[in-house]
């Protein structure tokens, strides 16, 4: 290996080397530099996501800058699995992301705590909790359906008037006014 001594090396000899360094630096893609910088701060920025990732994660776009690197990695993993999910799963995921964004920071922390507690349960305890939750959901759905039917019937009855319920007009009351 030949070492050049600064005394022998004039400006003319340094110029090509300097130009080579400048060319290499200039050719480095700015996106890669920005991504490296953002990775140190907390993962990729929203703009660095692919259009597909942005589409899948759109419900949480406003929260993206606030997420730390580990949470961004989690969401990117979900976005990667998204195409292989069934349409029902995809719809449920989108709705849950919208719900998550509506939660306050305190509610999110409480949800994370409940999830960690759930994960600590034995498999049998988890099955029991899931069964109870499913029973609760079915009851809620049935109650909502019944309430909707009752409301619909009441609205129909109100539109039809008293004659629809077998109550005819009171004879001689046509000209009377309430006092």
């Amino acid at each position: 290996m030949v070492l050049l001594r600064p005394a022998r090396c004039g400006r003319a000899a340094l110029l090509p080397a300097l130009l080579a360094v400048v060319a290499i630096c200039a050719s480095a893609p700015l996106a890669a530099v920005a991504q490296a910088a953002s990775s140190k701060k907390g993962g990729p920025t929203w703009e660095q996501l692919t259009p597909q990732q942005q589409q899948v994660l759109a419900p949480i776009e406003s929260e993206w800058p606030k997420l730390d690197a580990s949470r961004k990695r989690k969401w990117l993993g979900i976005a990667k699995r998204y195409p292989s999910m069934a349409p029902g799963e995809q719809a449920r995921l989108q709705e849950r992301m919208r719900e998550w964004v509506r939660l306050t920071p305190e509610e999110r922390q409480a949800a994370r705590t409940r999830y960690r507690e759930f994960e600590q349960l034995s498999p049998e305890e988890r099955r029991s909790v899931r069964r109870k939750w499913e029973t609760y959901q079915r009851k809620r759905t049935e109650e909502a359906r019944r309430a909707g039917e009752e409301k619909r019937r009441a609205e129909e009855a109100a539109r039809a008037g008293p004659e629809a319920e077998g109550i005819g007009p009171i004879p001689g009351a046509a000209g009377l006014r309430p006092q």
Side-chain angles (χ1 to χ4, degrees):
M1 179 154 98
V2 177
L3 296 175
L4 296 176
R5 294 183 189 189
R8 291 186 176 179
C9 201
R11 285 185 187 179
L14 287 177
L15 186 59
L18 185 58
L19 288 174
V21 170
V22 169
I24 291 170
C25 290
S27 67
L30 293 179
V33 173
Q35 186 171 0
S38 71
S39 296
K40 292 176 186 174
K41 294 179 188 174
T45 64
W46 184 258
E47 293 74 24
Q48 292 170 327
L49 300 181
T50 66
Q52 293 81 10
Q53 290 170 325
Q54 288 180 356
Q55 182 181 3
V56 170
L57 301 173
I60 61 168
E61 178 181 4
S62 64
E63 296 296 312
W64 192 259
K66 302 172 197 169
L67 297 176
D68 61 29
S70 65
R71 292 214 199 289
K72 286 181 180 179
R73 277 193 306 275
K74 179 191 84 115
W75 284 113
L76 290 172
I78 290 170
K80 185 176 182 179
R81 290 190 308 273
Y82 187 83
S84 65
M85 293 178 181
E89 284 181 283
Q90 291 177 346
R92 189 171 59 245
L93 174 64
Q94 292 288 314
E95 180 55 33
R96 288 190 176 163
M97 283 191 282
R98 284 188 287 276
E99 290 172 1
W100 186 258
V101 169
R102 288 190 292 261
L103 294 177
T104 66
E106 294 79 20
E107 290 169 325
R108 290 178 192 176
Q109 189 57 46
R112 286 184 191 108
T113 301
R114 284 191 305 271
Y115 179 76
R116 279 192 294 272
E117 290 169 355
F118 178 77
E119 288 296 304
Q120 298 299 315
L121 298 175
S122 71
E124 182 54 41
E125 290 171 316
R126 278 190 245 157
R127 280 191 290 276
S128 175
V129 169
R130 283 191 182 109
R131 280 192 301 269
K132 288 177 184 177
W133 177 251
E134 289 166 1
T135 301
Y136 169 76
Q137 289 292 86
R138 278 193 302 275
K139 284 181 183 177
R140 246 182 78 196
T141 303
E142 181 60 27
E143 289 171 2
R145 187 188 60 74
R146 269 189 258 130
E149 286 178 7
E150 289 174 15
K151 181 180 178 185
R152 182 183 50 79
R153 275 190 245 118
E155 289 172 350
E156 287 175 1
R159 280 193 301 271
E163 292 83 17
E165 293 186 23
I167 303 173
I170 300 174
L176 297 177
R177 288 191 281 174
Q179 297 182 10

